[in-house]
Amino acid sequence: MATKIIPDATLDLQLDQLEGTNIHVCKEPQPTDFASIAAVELAGQAIAGSYVKADGDVDGRKTTCPQQLDVNITADGDATSIVISNGSNLLICSTTCTTQTLTSGGTVTIPAWDAEIGDPT
């Protein structure tokens, strides 16, 4: 019986498409495209540091976005999601975050987090 296989190099190419250049902390409603980020962004910046690819937690592969320290908060509101973009396209629609009230003029730290692609079944 043949096994279903996708080589790690192929999964890594797919993960490359998720590795954006900008990170955004957003309030509700969750952005669904790049244009909708501006209306809900509370904090954001160019991503500092490099993504790291590795084996997934269960199987497949993952890419980890590095922790972002002292991201400037530009608007007041309750942060509910993190969004990754490349400056013109929304790449990762959202990952939820612990709801936190942000106040303009402060800073927020975004912990490292990962996106995973599982092996075929």
Side-chain angles (χ1 to χ4, degrees):
M1 173 192 266
T3 304
K4 297 175 184 172
I5 297 172
I6 298 176
D8 286 351
T10 301
L11 293 176
D12 286 353
L13 288 171
Q14 293 174 320
L15 290 169
D16 286 345
Q17 300 305 306
L18 303 177
E19 295 177 350
T21 56
N22 299 300
I23 193 163
H24 314 270
V25 179
C26 299
K27 62 182 180 180
E28 293 292 334
Q30 180 177 349
T32 56
D33 57 30
F34 183 77
S36 64
I37 293 172
V40 296
E41 183 179 57
L42 301 174
Q45 69 178 26
I47 291 176
S50 300
Y51 289 87
V52 176
K53 289 187 187 68
D55 289 334
D57 293 338
V58 175
D59 62 24
R61 298 285 289 166
K62 68 181 177 181
T63 185
T64 301
C65 181
Q67 175 176 272
Q68 303 297 298
L69 297 170
D70 299 326
V71 179
N72 291 322
I73 301 168
T74 56
D76 296 338
D78 291 334
T80 56
S81 61
I82 307 297
V83 174
I84 301 290
S85 75
N86 64 5
S88 58
N89 294 297
L90 182 65
L91 301 179
I92 294 182
C93 275
S94 178
T95 186
T96 57
C97 64
T98 302
T99 300
Q100 181 178 350
T101 301
L102 302 183
T103 303
S104 182
T107 62
V108 63
T109 293
I110 304 167
W113 58 280
D114 60 56
E116 297 192 31
I117 298 175
D119 284 332
T121 58

